[in-house]
Each structure stands twice: as structure tokens, then as C-alpha cells.
Amino acid sequence: MKYLDAKLSQPRWMLHPMQEFIRDGDAVRYEELQAWSGVTGDGGVEHELFYVEADREPYEEALSAVESVRWYDLTPIDDESFYVYISQETRPEDVAWREAFADLNLVLVPPVVYDADAAFHVTLVGPGEDLRTVLSDLPEAVDATVKAVGEYDRRHAPVADGLTARQLTAVETAVELGFYEVPRRAGVADVADELDCAPSTASDLLQRAESGVMRRLVERHGRGHPDG
């Protein structure tokens, strides 16, 4: 089973209004699409769940102005991050690139991460032939950059499963900087600087990641486990 990590960049005319909001401003510091439904057809209604680190007021103002959005529910996490659940009508511009995935034996592995240029980073899993086909079938207007390809392997999932991509990035950054060494060579502020976020956000990311990993570690290998 093969996987493909790719970065997909769309021209402005294909961008969702919220992608334009990301590209044209600095209110959004990080955004990932965590789950979705009804997004492969050529019409109808779709639903998406996003995790966002952004200035909430301008983000919500921009979201409220999107014509395709029927309704949304925003759930704050802290002063700088929130979840947003969106119900919206499928736009013809989105169908143009989604058709490349139709009728192929591929799975899109969440999350889909958006960068500062509103390009999105995806992981696709499936037969190698289909992975090659999806790249060739994308509209010419979509620029695809292949970042990695190979045999799919998520052996870390039993412990790290459930961590958001942002949490995993925070932990990776902390390890690289020496946050977990004894004695520590870096603090939360150093991790925050590297992630370009507030120290409170970096601390929250690390604490949530550590909590999830430790809980699953104990569940699987603690004293109550047959192998514990």
C-alpha cells in the first residue's frame, strides 16, 4: 500500500473565500481540516470540521460573509484557537479539482493542512497506479508538488493517534530544541518562537499532546494491561 504526500496550490479563481482570507491577511496562523463528509459529489451540501489558530473576530466576520456557507458553529479552545464546524453548498470551483479523485481507489488521510499561501498539504493512500493517475488528472491550473512517496507506515498510531498535526509538530519542535532533555536546553517560549505562536498556545499544544500520549501509553502498557 503506497502513500503520497503532496502540496496542492490553486489559482485565485479556484480559491474558497476563506482560502483567500488566509492568503491575503495574517489573521490565520494555522488551519487544518480534520474531518469532512459529502465533499466528493458535484453539488449538494458538505460538512467540515476545522481546527484553527487565528484572530477569532476577523475570522468569523469573513466566514459569515461566505455565500456558500449555510451555517457554522464555532467552539473556542482558548483565546487563540478554536474548532469550527461548517455546513456549506458545494462550489463548482471545488468540483473541478475533486473530480481527479473520483473513481480512484484512494483514501485521503486527515488532516488536510493549509499553509500561509492557502495551499493545502494532503496525504493520499492507495495503489501506486492510482496515485500516479490522480496527479496526472488534476486540472492544469492546480500546481502539485510531491513531497514524499513510499510504503505507508503509521506504526506510531497506537500511541500518537488522536494528536492533531499541529500538536505533533509542536512536540517534534520541542524535541529538536531540547525541551525534553535533562536538563532542558529550551523552554516553552523557544518552542513558541519556532512555531510562530504565543507561549500560551505552545504550552497548550504540548500539554494536550503529552496528555493524549501518556493516557494511551498507560492504557496499552500500564499495570492493568496483560503485558504491564
Side-chain angles (χ1 to χ4, degrees):
M1 180 173 55
K2 301 292 185 179
Y3 83 96
L4 169 71
D5 284 344
K7 170 186 173 182
L8 304 181
S9 302
Q10 302 163 279
R12 183 170 289 274
W13 68 266
M14 291 182 71
L15 292 179
H16 188 279
M18 293 307 293
Q19 287 178 280
E20 290 191 76
F21 178 70
I22 293 173
R23 176 182 286 186
D24 295 342
D26 56 5
V28 179
R29 292 171 289 279
Y30 180 83
E31 179 167 314
E32 66 179 30
L33 173 60
Q34 296 191 328
W36 54 85
S37 65
V39 297
T40 57
D42 57 353
V45 178
E46 57 192 60
H47 305 87
E48 295 106 0
L49 175 65
F50 291 88
Y51 166 73
V52 187
E53 294 175 11
D55 299 326
R56 192 183 312 163
E57 186 173 339
Y59 185 96
E60 193 163 3
E61 182 178 345
L63 184 60
S64 300
V66 178
E67 291 184 5
S68 62
V69 173
R70 289 188 170 187
W71 57 269
Y72 68 88
D73 182 24
L74 190 149
T75 303
I77 300 174
D78 53 32
D79 291 339
E80 297 186 346
S81 61
F82 50 87
Y83 292 105
V84 58
Y85 182 88
I86 300 173
S87 175
Q88 65 176 332
E89 299 171 3
T90 302
R91 305 180 317 131
E93 297 90 340
D94 294 328
V95 174
W97 66 266
R98 290 175 185 170
E99 286 180 341
F101 296 86
D103 301 324
L104 293 176
N105 301 305
L106 297 177
V107 173
L108 182 59
V109 181
V112 176
V113 178
Y114 295 84
D115 63 25
D117 294 322
F120 51 101
H121 300 252
V122 300
T123 296
L124 296 170
V125 174
E129 182 178 347
D130 284 359
L131 291 172
R132 291 189 291 271
T133 298
V134 73
L135 291 174
S136 63
D137 286 356
L138 284 168
E140 291 185 6
V142 176
D143 179 47
T145 301
V146 176
K147 299 189 296 179
V149 63
E151 290 292 335
Y152 187 67
D153 184 355
R154 284 197 67 193
R155 284 173 292 179
H156 68 280
V159 173
D161 192 33
L163 268 64
T164 67
R166 186 62 161 167
Q167 289 169 356
L168 189 54
T169 297
V171 172
E172 290 174 342
T173 300
V175 170
E176 291 170 358
L177 293 177
F179 179 81
Y180 291 110
E181 292 188 12
V182 181
R184 282 183 173 173
R185 294 192 294 105
V188 171
D190 299 304
V191 177
D193 287 343
E194 193 70 20
L195 295 175
D196 192 23
C197 68
S200 60
T201 299
S203 177
D204 181 74
L205 288 168
L206 293 174
Q207 289 181 33
R208 289 177 183 273
E210 293 161 5
S211 174
V213 169
M214 292 301 103
R215 183 176 62 255
R216 282 185 287 277
L217 184 62
V218 170
E219 288 173 352
R220 290 167 172 80
H221 304 291
R223 286 176 293 180
H225 191 274
D227 297 328

